[in-house]
Amino acid sequence: MPKSKRDRPVTLSKTKKKGRGQKESQVNSIRGAIDSYSSVYVFSFENMRNLKFKEFREQLKSSSRFFLGSNKVMQIALGRSAADEIRPGIRKVSKLLHGNTGLFLTSLPREEVQKIFNAFEEIDFARTGSKATEKVELKEGPLTEFTHEMEPFLCKQGMPVRLNKGVVELVSNFVVCDEGKPLSPEASRILRLLGIKMATFRLHLICRWNEDDFELLAKGLDEDSDVETS
């Protein structure tokens, strides 16, 4: 009887003993999960928010399983060539594990999976380095949304403010951020104080594999493409 590719030993070189053990454990977990679910998807993510993603995973844990971590380890688990892939054609999935990507294993119908992923969206405050989605400029005059105790903090953020009879006052117009430019640490703090959310946590399906078929779901890709994510 031929030996299953899934049972082949895995070599993960150039890692410390503890780290190698963790990676081998993930490889074995992924390979074991392949037997339990009918479909494997690659998904990409933008503006990841760990708490929201944990909640999303919990909603689907009865029918599905997610894997995130080292793309290289996930590629090794699936196989990267015809010689070492653990299922026919699954190497095509490995090829699309680049950048901010993960694996989603499920037995849910394709249409339901697409509906769930397309509907998922969480708006949150943008972090330092994120690109501003709009220009935010504060006009000269009283800033009634801030209490007088906040004046020293606002000064430290570079805002030209002063106290005028106990009211925080902007002495000149101040641009917090410009559309399309990365947010500075100060800008991200000011936007949070203003209650302005510019980050949207989204998940995008890239491809789907099962025993009978491989399908690209992201637009603008072909089977020889690598995934580019922001």
Side-chain angles (χ1 to χ4, degrees):
M1 180 176 180
K3 190 174 181 180
S4 169
K5 292 181 180 179
R6 176 173 167 258
D7 297 329
R8 290 179 180 175
V10 178
T11 301
L12 295 164
S13 59
K14 297 182 181 179
T15 59
K16 294 181 179 180
K17 185 175 181 180
K18 183 178 179 181
R20 184 170 65 247
Q22 291 173 339
K23 292 176 180 179
E24 288 178 351
S25 176
Q26 185 177 29
V27 166
N28 292 332
S29 293
I30 292 172
R31 290 184 172 182
I34 295 291
D35 293 333
S36 302
Y37 302 98
S38 60
S39 297
V40 178
Y41 292 81
V42 174
F43 67 94
S44 64
F45 54 87
E46 54 181 305
N47 298 309
M48 170 63 79
R49 296 296 184 266
N50 291 332
L51 181 59
K52 295 299 182 182
F53 184 65
K54 183 179 179 181
E55 293 172 358
F56 186 62
R57 293 173 78 151
E58 285 295 310
Q59 294 171 12
L60 295 168
K61 71 176 183 179
S62 63
S63 61
S64 312
R65 189 167 179 182
F66 286 88
F67 289 96
L68 283 177
S70 166
N71 287 326
K72 183 177 180 181
V73 171
M74 291 188 287
Q75 289 171 347
I76 290 172
L78 301 178
R80 294 180 286 188
S81 68
D84 63 9
E85 62 181 4
I86 62 170
R87 294 287 188 279
I90 206 168
R91 68 184 184 280
K92 297 175 182 178
V93 173
S94 290
K95 189 172 179 61
L96 295 170
L97 285 166
H98 293 277
N100 297 325
T101 54
L103 290 174
F104 176 63
L105 282 63
T106 186
S107 295
L108 293 173
R110 173 184 179 278
E111 293 76 15
E112 186 174 352
V113 171
Q114 289 185 301
K115 181 178 179 181
I116 292 170
F117 273 71
N118 290 339
F120 181 80
E121 183 177 282
E122 291 289 341
I123 300 174
D124 198 4
F125 294 106
R127 296 172 178 169
T128 300
S130 299
K131 290 185 179 180
T133 58
E134 61 180 290
K135 180 178 181 178
V136 175
E137 183 176 9
L138 301 177
K139 299 298 183 181
E140 176 184 350
L143 298 173
T144 55
E145 59 266 61
F146 300 125
T147 62
H148 68 276
E149 293 95 341
M150 298 181 69
E151 187 266 344
F153 177 78
L154 296 175
C155 284
K156 289 181 179 179
Q157 308 315 307
M159 294 179 63
V161 295
R162 67 184 178 188
L163 284 178
N164 185 1
K165 297 180 181 180
V167 177
V168 178
E169 183 178 70
L170 198 63
V171 299
S172 61
N173 292 349
F174 178 72
V175 176
V176 179
C177 59
D178 285 303
E179 182 178 356
K181 293 186 177 180
L183 295 177
S184 66
E186 295 78 14
S188 63
R189 295 186 197 110
I190 294 169
L191 291 174
R192 184 176 287 269
L193 290 173
L194 293 170
I196 299 174
K197 297 181 178 181
M198 290 189 177
T200 304
F201 172 28
R202 294 189 182 96
L203 303 172
H204 306 283
L205 293 172
I206 294 172
C207 70
R208 170 180 174 268
W209 172 94
N210 62 23
E211 293 281 2
D212 303 316
D213 189 30
F214 173 81
E215 180 183 12
L216 286 167
L217 302 174
K219 295 180 180 179
L221 293 177
D222 57 48
E223 292 189 12
D224 295 320
S225 296
D226 289 341
V227 178
E228 296 293 337
T229 56
S230 58

